[in-house]
């Protein structure tokens, strides 16, 4: 689930923090910059693991702060392909089932990946697995808050950095709300394999 | 900022749990700076991740248990990713093993799967919910004390 990523960055320490130990200031700045943020094509950054190398700190003319080039390792959430994870169902919509891991929310199970046959119950806004047995069809509901085991099959990184002003005429009165895209989404593969799906379906009572 | 190696090492959930718990202790000791707005993100992510990992079996592991587990796994010839998944999830049924080990029907016989299950459940301590269930059940089961 978690990987260690080696990165290099220049950290700026303002003069009023010079009394603190350099390592502490740098650790704090790095966490301030990266914790809980998604780095493009890398993953969701959790926290600093360690600092491997500190190069010389320079003070540039016009700026009293010191600039230090730091080599460090960061703990990043980046599940590998086909990894099995357990999460909680956040909700259902016609797009599929939304699953959350607490610290990471953008996991989607598209309808094609659900156990077949599955249908969307409009009244209760929930996906249902119609499980056929000899006695008849059992309807297994995918309720919110239920724990679910799934396999990661695809991930997509979207670059959400702001774009420059477009050349088209600015319509300041009717501004379109910029579409909020999640910078990092996990697409889940079929949960139709034996063992996948709601945990309650597989635990022997 | 430059990313030198996006995949330098895999971390088990236990290692991340340990790291975050130590970080939390450190920050509690150093007092007031955690309330500054810059630290809010770190607080949020630490809290949520700790909450998630605390509900998994990784909570009760220790470095010795992990080492013992990996030595026991050597004989089964599994890939690094498979061993990591077994360590993080502690499967209790054959179905779960088939999910985590690729092509398990071809690579492992039934007895090997049983042996694997036995190694996993005996070396790795159970998760918090499983322990609760064990306390309420009247059936006595042998459970190894975490070292």
């Amino acid at each position: 689930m978690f990987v260690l990523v080696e990165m290099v960055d220049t950290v700026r320490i303002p003069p009023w923090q010079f009394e603190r130990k350099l390592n502490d200031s740098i650790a704090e700045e790095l966490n301030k910059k990266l914790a809980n943020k998604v780095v493009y094509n890398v993953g969701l950054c959790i926290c600093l693991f360690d600092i491997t190398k500190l190069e010389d700190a320079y003070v540039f003319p016009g700026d009293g702060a010191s600039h230090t080039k730091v080599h460090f390792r960061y703990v990043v959430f980046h599940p590998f392909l086909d990894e099995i994870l357990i999460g909680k169902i956040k909700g259902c919509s016609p797009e599929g089932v939304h699953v959350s891991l607490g610290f990471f929310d953008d996991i989607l199970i598209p309808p094609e990946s659900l156990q077949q046959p599955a249908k969307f119950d409009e009244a209760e806004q929930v996906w249902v697995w119609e499980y056929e047995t000899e006695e008849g069809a059992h309807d297994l509901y995918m309720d919110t808050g239920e724990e679910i085991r799934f396999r990661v099959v695809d991930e997509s990184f979207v670059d959400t950095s702001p774009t420059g002003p477009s050349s088209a005429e600015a319509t300041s009165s009717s501004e379109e709300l910029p579409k909020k895209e999640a910078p990092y989404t996990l697409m889940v593969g079929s949960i139709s394999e034996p063992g996948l799906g709601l945990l309650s379906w597989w635990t022997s009572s | 900022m430059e990313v030198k190696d996006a995949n330098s090492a895999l971390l088990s959930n236990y290692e991340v749990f340990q790291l975050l718990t130590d970080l939390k202790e450190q920050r509690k000791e150093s007092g007031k700076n955690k309330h500054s707005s810059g630290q809010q993100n770190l607080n949020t992510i630490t809290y949520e991740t700790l909450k998630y990992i605390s509900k998994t079996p990784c909570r009760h592991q220790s470095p010795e248990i992990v080492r013992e587990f990996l030595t026991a796994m050597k004989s089964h010839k599994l890939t690094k990713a498979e061993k990591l998944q077994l360590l993080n999830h502690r499967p209790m049924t054959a179905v779960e093993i088939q999910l985590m080990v690729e092509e398990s029907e071809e690579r492992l016989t039934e007895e090997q799967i049983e042996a694997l299950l036995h190694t996993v459940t005996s070396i790795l301590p159970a998760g918090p919910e499983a322990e609760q269930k064990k306390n309420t059940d009247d059936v006595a089961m042998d459970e190894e004390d975490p070292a």
Side-chain angles (χ1 to χ4, degrees):
Chain A
M1 227 194 293
F2 299 101
V3 290
L4 219 50
V5 178
E6 285 179 13
M7 300 197 240
V8 185
D9 196 13
T10 310
V11 176
R12 177 183 183 270
I13 310 285
W16 56 86
Q17 288 186 17
F18 282 174
E19 58 176 359
R20 301 177 62 194
K21 285 185 68 178
L22 185 62
N23 285 40
D24 294 343
S25 302
I26 290 192
E28 192 180 314
E29 284 297 313
L30 287 174
N31 277 329
K32 203 189 288 189
K33 179 172 180 179
L34 290 174
N36 205 15
K37 304 229 171 91
V38 173
V39 177
Y40 190 59
N41 282 339
V42 169
L44 173 70
C45 297
I46 309 280
C47 74
L48 182 69
F49 185 72
D50 64 3
I51 300 177
T52 43
K53 187 164 143 194
L54 277 179
E55 297 188 15
D56 290 334
Y58 292 95
V59 178
F60 295 114
D63 183 8
S66 76
H67 296 79
T68 323
K69 196 160 178 192
V70 188
H71 298 245
F72 58 97
R73 293 189 289 188
Y74 219 86
V75 178
V76 175
F77 170 71
H78 190 185
F80 50 85
L81 204 62
D82 289 342
E83 183 170 359
I84 306 283
L85 294 176
I86 299 186
K88 274 212 168 114
I89 297 188
K90 204 171 60 170
C92 297
S93 76
E95 294 156 356
V97 181
H98 298 272
V99 182
S100 152
L101 288 180
F103 58 95
F104 183 73
D105 274 351
D106 303 307
I107 304 179
L108 179 67
I109 309 181
E112 307 81 59
S113 315
L114 295 172
Q115 268 105 339
Q116 295 304 325
K119 74 167 198 295
F120 187 57
D121 186 342
E122 287 291 338
E124 296 183 36
Q125 292 284 300
V126 76
W127 281 94
V128 186
W129 178 29
E130 294 159 331
Y131 180 55
E132 295 274 335
T133 61
E134 305 81 46
E135 298 104 51
H138 281 288
D139 273 354
L140 294 169
Y141 283 81
M142 310 190 85
D143 294 317
T144 316
E146 290 283 335
E147 301 225 330
I148 182 170
R149 190 182 288 134
F150 56 92
R151 188 193 288 279
V152 176
V153 137
D154 194 21
E155 65 191 9
S156 71
F157 284 99
V158 175
D159 193 1
T160 53
S161 36
T163 52
S166 61
S167 51
E169 60 272 14
T171 49
S172 49
S173 48
S174 56
E175 246 178 28
E176 261 186 47
L177 260 175
K179 210 177 79 160
K180 269 202 167 177
E181 272 194 272
Y184 177 32
T185 325
L186 282 183
M187 219 68 73
V188 167
S190 61
I191 52 167
S192 52
E193 294 172 45
L196 297 180
L198 256 55
L199 289 187
S200 50
W201 295 346
W202 298 101
T203 45
S204 44
S205 44
Chain B
M1 190 178 80
E2 189 197 316
V3 175
K4 273 205 304 196
D5 186 357
N7 225 320
S8 93
L10 288 172
L11 288 174
S12 72
N13 286 10
Y14 169 67
E15 289 176 281
V16 179
F17 177 71
Q18 194 66 7
L19 187 73
L20 290 175
T21 335
D22 289 343
L23 187 70
K24 205 167 82 160
E25 286 303 315
Q26 256 180 12
R27 304 189 62 236
K28 227 187 269 192
E29 283 165 26
S30 67
K32 54 188 166 107
N33 61 347
K34 64 177 170 170
H35 292 294
S36 73
S37 57
Q39 301 296 316
Q40 196 47 43
N41 267 327
L42 182 64
N43 292 342
T44 314
I45 191 78
T46 324
Y47 171 70
E48 294 284 351
T49 314
L50 229 38
K51 198 163 86 162
Y52 176 78
I53 301 187
S54 305
K55 287 196 254 149
T56 68
C58 307
R59 180 152 208 261
H60 300 283
Q61 291 171 359
S62 76
E64 295 84 31
I65 296 185
V66 177
R67 211 172 299 142
E68 206 188 315
F69 178 74
L70 289 176
T71 6
M73 284 288 124
K74 264 195 216 172
S75 54
H76 294 282
K77 289 200 270 235
L78 297 170
T79 68
K80 211 181 202 176
E82 290 165 357
K83 283 188 276 197
L84 184 65
Q85 286 193 81
L86 293 177
L87 183 63
N88 283 343
H89 286 276
R90 192 184 182 266
M92 292 189 276
T93 62
V95 178
E96 294 174 51
I97 299 244
Q98 278 169 355
L99 274 182
M100 297 179 197
V101 177
E102 263 176 76
E103 293 168 17
S104 54
E105 297 95 44
E106 284 130 39
R107 285 161 60 190
L108 302 171
T109 63
E110 282 234 9
E111 298 120 23
Q112 281 179 310
I113 294 189
E114 279 300 318
L116 196 57
L117 266 176
H118 183 76
T119 327
V120 168
T121 43
S122 58
I123 298 185
L124 298 178
E129 300 99 13
E131 271 185 12
Q132 249 184 19
K133 239 176 56 165
K134 277 211 169 95
N135 289 337
T136 52
D137 277 350
D138 282 337
V139 181
M141 256 184 77
D142 279 343
E143 184 189 342
E144 231 175 333
D145 282 65

